Amino acid sequence: AQKITQTQPGMFVQEKEAVTLDCTYDTSDPSYGLFWYKQPSSGEMIFLIYQGSYDQQNATEGRYSLNFQKARKSANLVISASQLGDSAMYFCAMREGRGYQKVTFGTGTKLQVIP
Amino acid sequence: SAVISQKPSRDICQRGTSLTIQCQVDSQVTMMFWYRQQPGQSLTLIATANQGSEATYESGFVIDKFPISRPNLTFSTLTVSNLSPEDSSIYLCSVEVGQSTDTQYFGPGTRLTVL
């Protein structure tokens, strides 16, 4: 079974609009971390946001927020006020347990921002 | 976070040769990770490198094909040996930073094309 599922291969969003990228995960470990990364066409992986399984509040980092619904095992990324520079691949990832554990990545969503 | 550099940023190699990729971090880290990203695919962990011990390889990856060195706490190399076109990928190193979040930060990647 897939540990991280991203069901949207591609998404379009109008500039200045908000967009939600979906991510569901599967784990039986009570301690885990969820991450979102952005990968522009240059290939680098840019860390965006982190959510811990015990965190009570949804994580936010500037225009990025993570809609964490633990019971549904979903960790959707919300990008507000989209910019042309947001066009990239976005990967959801999970680490089970604490410290120096393997991080598993989803298949990614390609976001294109339309002027 | 951490500042991570990789050399080379890209290379084109002939079948049967080898390429060694260097990863340098601006601070001392215990674990370094090497990932492969095949064209249009997500990231797959190759191995975890701990200073002073042999690297731990994931299923499907072997030391003869992907030898790794970790001579100190800020540096690692990955060699991709006996290259074939199927090895054409982006290779990324990462380090884990942050006692509470254990976030992995990535280098800019090495884009390898094998002819």
Side-chain angles (χ1 to χ4, degrees):
Chain A
Q2 294 290 327
K3 286 188 175 287
I4 293 286
T5 302
Q6 294 181 255
T7 58
Q8 306 155 313
M11 292 277 289
F12 290 92
V13 64
Q14 204 76 36
E15 193 178 7
K16 301 180 184 178
E17 297 292 313
V19 63
T20 298
L21 306 184
D22 295 342
C23 174
T24 57
Y25 59 92
D26 182 27
T27 181
S28 58
D29 195 320
S31 177
Y32 54 89
L34 298 159
F35 307 85
W36 277 92
Y37 290 88
K38 172 184 178 182
Q39 187 178 42
S41 57
S42 58
E44 60 186 315
M45 291 288 286
I46 302 169
F47 166 71
L48 296 178
I49 197 166
Y50 166 85
Q51 180 83 45
S53 58
Y54 296 117
D55 293 342
Q56 296 296 315
Q57 294 188 331
N58 288 342
T60 60
E61 289 286 348
R63 294 187 298 110
Y64 304 108
S65 60
L66 199 152
N67 184 0
F68 182 45
Q69 298 188 40
K70 195 169 184 177
R72 297 179 61 183
K73 294 188 175 180
S74 75
N76 299 338
L77 177 70
V78 181
I79 305 174
S80 63
S82 296
Q83 302 171 358
L84 295 178
D86 294 334
S87 295
M89 283 291 290
Y90 289 81
F91 291 94
C92 180
M94 176 176 67
R95 185 207 66 247
E96 297 171 276
R98 291 301 312 275
Y100 312 134
Q101 301 294 326
K102 177 180 177 179
V103 174
T104 303
F105 286 80
T107 53
T109 296
K110 184 173 183 178
L111 177 66
Q112 295 186 63
V113 180
I114 305 167
Chain B
S1 65
V3 178
I4 306 167
S5 60
Q6 281 186 239
K7 291 181 182 179
S9 58
R10 59 177 61 229
D11 208 341
I12 301 173
C13 298
Q14 295 297 320
R15 186 194 299 256
T17 63
S18 298
L19 177 70
T20 294
I21 303 167
Q22 299 179 5
C23 180
Q24 180 77 51
V25 189
D26 69 340
S27 58
Q28 294 184 341
V29 293
T30 303
M31 306 293 282
M32 296 179 77
F33 305 85
W34 286 99
Y35 288 83
R36 180 178 73 180
Q37 186 180 25
Q38 295 177 300
Q41 302 296 314
S42 185
L43 277 72
T44 302
L45 181 65
I46 298 171
T48 303
N50 192 0
Q51 193 267 337
S53 63
E54 282 198 8
T56 302
Y57 289 84
E58 294 296 303
S59 176
F61 297 96
V62 296
I63 188 171
D64 289 347
K65 176 68 175 176
F66 299 98
I68 289 172
S69 77
R70 183 79 203 276
N72 57 52
L73 291 173
T74 63
F75 186 79
S76 179
T77 66
L78 168 74
T79 299
V80 190
S81 304
N82 190 23
L83 290 168
S84 68
E86 292 71 36
D87 294 320
S88 297
S89 299
I90 299 175
Y91 293 86
L92 300 110
C93 69
S94 74
V95 301
E96 199 167 271
V97 176
Q99 289 185 337
S100 61
T101 66
D102 300 324
T103 299
Q104 285 198 13
Y105 291 88
F106 285 82
T110 296
R111 194 180 294 264
L112 170 63
T113 301
V114 183
L115 302 178

